[in-house]
Amino acid sequence: MIHKLLKRPQAIIGLCLIAIVIVIAIAAPAFSPHDPELVNLSQKYAQPDAEYPLGTDQLGRCTLSRLLYGARYSIGISLPVLLILSVIGLIVGTFSACAGEKADHFITILCDVFIAFPSLIIAIAVIGVLGNGLQNIAVSVVIATWAWFVRVVRSYSVQEMGKDYILAARISGCNTGKLVFRHLIPNILPQFLVYVSTGVASSIIMVSSFAFLGLGLPSGTPEWGAMLNDARTALYSHPELLIYPGLCIFVTAAGFNLFGEALRDILTPEEDNI
């Protein structure tokens, strides 16, 4: 599969963008010329120079440093959240497909209730109850989007349940637990990885949306969505303060989406793409 990925330009571009963002997130303290939260009003809206390569914002904070640290928040929240959602989706979705009609009906109705409401509205409501904080952001995203992951996994699992190897496993006396972990999950995992890879972009955008709305993160946090929110007052006088974080969000989301699309083309049979 790796050999096939390396033959696709979109996969290579996506992987390069993902790698760059992850390296920046890990090595942000080494790359940042200044403390991202250091306020220096004497340098308010300073032009780019050797000391401040991308200038400063309305509080004299180094724009480049804040952009570099912003990758930490976007990646540091999104990837753990996707891992939790993946575990919930795989376990609950496969269990729903093979545990019986009553259990499947109950889980399906529960998912429909959550899906009926916009994910952002649910997440905002949860943050309003729990308060600000990185952990609360992660919890709110999980609560808002778990149903989508369960429904996707369930749809994959229902397709697999009609295949001969599942029938053979049933006849051999395989119980629900073994059926889920030994047969269903390994066989639907490739398709699910495609969904997860594109879901990272949605998670990053959702986290940035919270920060843009002033939810979840403390004031002054160097996060891309928060930087967009802070720069709204300087839209006409200093538009670059909105362009920089907007580009960071766009590039990061594009990297995961490009890789996910390439992965889908490889793992999905050709007849399914017609």
Side-chain angles (χ1 to χ4, degrees), residues 160 165-166 169 174 178-188:
E160 292 295 317
Y165 77 91
I166 295 293
C174 186
K178 290 182 179 180
L179 189 67
V180 167
F181 291 101
R182 292 187 180 181
H183 298 283
L184 277 179
I185 291 180
N187 282 282
I188 68 172

Side-chain angles (χ1 to χ4, degrees), residues 199-218:
V200 176
S202 299
S203 181
I204 290 173
I205 293 173
M206 182 173 288
V207 171
S208 297
S209 299
F210 294 156
F212 179 77
L213 296 172
L215 299 171
L217 296 175

Side-chain angles (χ1 to χ4, degrees), residues 61-216:
R61 297 171 297 192
C62 178
T63 300
L64 176 60
S65 299
R66 293 178 64 78
L67 289 173
L68 295 176
Y69 271 85
R72 285 193 152 194
Y73 287 92
S74 294
I75 298 298
I77 296 175
S78 300
L79 294 185
V81 164
L82 262 295
L83 178 60
I84 295 172
L85 288 170
S86 298
V87 173
I88 294 174
L90 285 172
I91 294 176
V92 179
T94 51
F95 177 81
S96 175
C98 65
E101 184 177 349
K102 291 184 178 179
D104 183 40
H105 188 61
F106 172 77
I107 294 174
T108 301
I109 291 177
L110 187 61
C111 290
D112 289 341
V113 171
F114 278 83
I115 292 174
F117 296 93
S119 300
L120 187 60
I121 299 301
I122 297 176
I124 290 174
V126 173
I127 290 179
V129 174
L130 299 179
N132 290 341
L134 295 179
Q135 293 181 347
N136 293 341
I137 290 180
V139 171
S140 66
V141 175
V142 170
I143 293 176
T145 56
W146 71 271
W148 295 93
F149 281 74
V150 171
R151 286 298 298 268
V152 168
V153 172
R154 179 189 173 278
S155 67
Y156 295 155
S157 301
V158 168
Q159 294 178 6
E160 292 295 317
M161 290 296 292
K163 296 185 177 179
D164 292 339
Y165 77 91
I166 295 293
L167 179 60
R170 289 283 199 187
I171 294 174
S172 66
C174 186
N175 59 33
T176 301
K178 290 182 179 180
L179 189 67
V180 167
F181 291 101
R182 292 187 180 181
H183 298 283
L184 277 179
I185 291 180
N187 282 282
I188 68 172
L189 194 58
Q191 301 176 66
F192 184 66
L193 288 177
V194 175
Y195 182 77
V196 171
S197 63
T198 54
V200 176
S202 299
S203 181
I204 290 173
I205 293 173
M206 182 173 288
V207 171
S208 297
S209 299
F210 294 156
F212 179 77
L213 296 172
L215 299 171

Side-chain angles (χ1 to χ4, degrees), residues 1 4-5 8 189-194 260-270 272-273:
M1 185 178 71
K4 292 181 179 179
L5 280 174
R8 295 181 177 270
L189 194 58
Q191 301 176 66
F192 184 66
L193 288 177
V194 175
E261 290 297 321
L263 198 61
R264 184 197 63 183
D265 294 340
I266 292 173
L267 297 177
T268 303
E270 292 183 3
D272 291 344
N273 291 330

